[in-house]
């Protein structure tokens, strides 16, 4: 830049033709060059100081920016390390939870299979109990029908006996007459006991408390 400035400057040397004093002319030229050199040196020094100050400010700004950038980089690096640690911890927690989930699923699958087996067994037991209960009800119904038939037969015999007792008269004359009368009464009661009677047997078939079939059967005996 100094060379360019020197090239642009023009030194005008005025030589008085009327005074051919070369020594004075050289002195003047020398003084002009010295003044020009001093001026250029001062300008150069001021320019250098200005540029140095600008570069110093720029370097300071850049150093501050670099320091801030380093701090930010350190902060980002610290955050990255913390996030990496958190990520590893979360991965470990996720793997642990997935393992626990698989264990729970396997355990619940086994428990569900056991519960299903228990339900199937209970349903089978319930079906067996229902069949057994139906059989018991059928047996009870048959016994009840037999009991009703026996009650009817007993009532019939009771009525026959009551009818015979109402006809029996016991005279108080002699023991022989009483024995003869009792013998005749026994013969008559036996002869009259062989009367016609009919027994109605009612059969009811039930299952689970519901009436499925009902029938009546009449038995006649002489």
């Amino acid at each position: 830049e100094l060379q360019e400035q020197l090239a642009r400057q023009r030194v005008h040397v005025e030589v008085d033709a009327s005074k051919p004093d070369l020594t004075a002319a050289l002195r003047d030229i020398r003084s002009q060059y010295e003044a020009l050199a001093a001026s250029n040196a001062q300008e150069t020094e001021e320019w250098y100081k200005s540029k140095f100050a600008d570069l110093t400010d720029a370097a300071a700004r850049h150093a501050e920016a670099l320091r801030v950038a380093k701090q930010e980089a350190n902060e980002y690096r610290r955050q990255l390390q913390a996030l990496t640690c958190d990520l590893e911890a979360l991965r470990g927690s996720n793997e642990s939870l997935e393992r626990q989930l698989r264990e729970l699923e396997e355990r619940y699958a086994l428990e569900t299979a056991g519960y299903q087996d228990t339900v199937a067994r209970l349903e089978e037991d319930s079906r067996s109990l229902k069949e057994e209960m139906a059989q018991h009800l059928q047996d009870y119904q048959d016994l009840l029908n037999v009991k009703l038939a026996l009650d009817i037969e007993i009532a019939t015999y009771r009525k026959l006996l009551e009818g015979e007792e109402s006809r029996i008269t016991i005279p108080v004359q002699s023991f022989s007459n009483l024995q003869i009368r009792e013998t005749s009464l026994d013969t008559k009661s036996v002869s009259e006991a062989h009367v016609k009677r009919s027994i109605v047997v009612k059969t009811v078939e039930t299952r689970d408390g519901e009436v499925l079939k009902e029938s009546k059967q009449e038995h006649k005996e002489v």
Side-chain angles (χ1 to χ4, degrees):
E1 291 181 358
L2 290 176
Q3 289 177 359
E4 290 178 357
Q5 290 179 2
L6 291 175
R8 287 195 301 267
Q9 290 180 356
R10 295 178 181 179
V11 180
H12 299 284
V13 180
E14 295 180 357
V15 180
D16 192 0
S18 59
K19 295 180 180 180
D21 191 355
L22 295 177
T23 303
L26 291 173
R27 190 182 301 112
D28 292 337
I29 292 171
R30 184 176 180 181
S31 62
Q32 289 180 4
Y33 271 107
E34 288 178 356
L36 181 60
S39 176
N40 289 333
Q42 185 176 0
E43 290 179 358
T44 302
E45 186 177 0
E46 292 178 355
W47 177 85
Y48 174 76
K49 290 180 179 180
S50 176
K51 289 294 182 180
F52 183 78
D54 294 339
L55 292 176
T56 302
D57 295 338
R61 290 193 302 272
H62 293 162
E64 181 67 19
L66 180 62
R67 186 182 63 81
V68 173
K70 286 182 179 181
Q71 290 180 354
E72 291 179 353
N74 292 329
E75 182 67 21
Y76 291 152
R77 189 177 295 107
R78 187 183 62 80
Q79 292 180 2
L80 179 61
Q81 292 177 354
L83 292 175
T84 303
C85 294
D86 294 340
L87 181 60
E88 293 297 329
L90 291 175
R91 284 179 179 175
S93 300
N94 188 24
E95 292 177 357
S96 177
L97 291 174
E98 288 180 352
R99 185 172 60 255
Q100 293 178 3
L101 180 60
R102 287 193 299 269
E103 292 176 355
L104 288 174
E105 287 178 350
E106 293 176 356
R107 187 175 67 187
Y108 288 154
L110 294 176
E111 291 180 357
T112 302
Y115 290 152
Q116 289 177 354
D117 294 338
T118 303
V119 169
R121 186 172 62 254
L122 291 175
E123 289 179 352
E124 184 66 24
D125 294 341
S126 177
R127 185 164 52 252
S128 300
L129 289 174
K130 286 181 179 180
E131 293 176 357
E132 186 177 357
M133 183 64 70
Q135 185 64 36
H136 287 328
L137 288 174
Q138 184 65 37
D139 295 340
Y140 175 75
Q141 188 65 39
D142 295 339
L143 291 175
L144 184 60
N145 293 332
V146 173
K147 180 180 179 299
L148 291 175
L150 292 175
D151 290 340
I152 293 171
E153 188 174 357
I154 291 170
T156 303
Y157 282 120
R158 185 179 290 113
K159 288 182 180 180
L160 293 173
L161 290 175
E162 289 177 354
E164 292 299 327
E165 288 177 357
S166 63
R167 296 178 184 179
I168 294 175
T169 57
I170 304 176
V172 208
Q173 295 177 359
S174 63
F175 179 76
S176 60
N177 293 331
L178 178 61
Q179 186 176 4
I180 293 171
R181 184 175 288 274
E182 286 180 354
T183 304
S184 63
L185 284 174
D186 291 337
T187 305
K188 186 178 181 181
S189 62
V190 171
S191 62
E192 290 182 355
H194 292 283
V195 295
K196 292 183 179 180
R197 63 181 183 273
S198 62
I199 300 174
V200 179
V201 179
K202 182 179 180 181
T203 304
V204 180
E205 183 179 354
T206 61
R207 180 176 293 174
D208 298 334
E210 296 181 358
V211 178
L212 299 179
K213 184 178 180 182
E214 182 176 353
S215 63
K216 291 182 180 180
Q217 187 175 5
E218 184 177 0
H219 299 276
K220 292 184 180 180
E221 295 182 0
V222 179

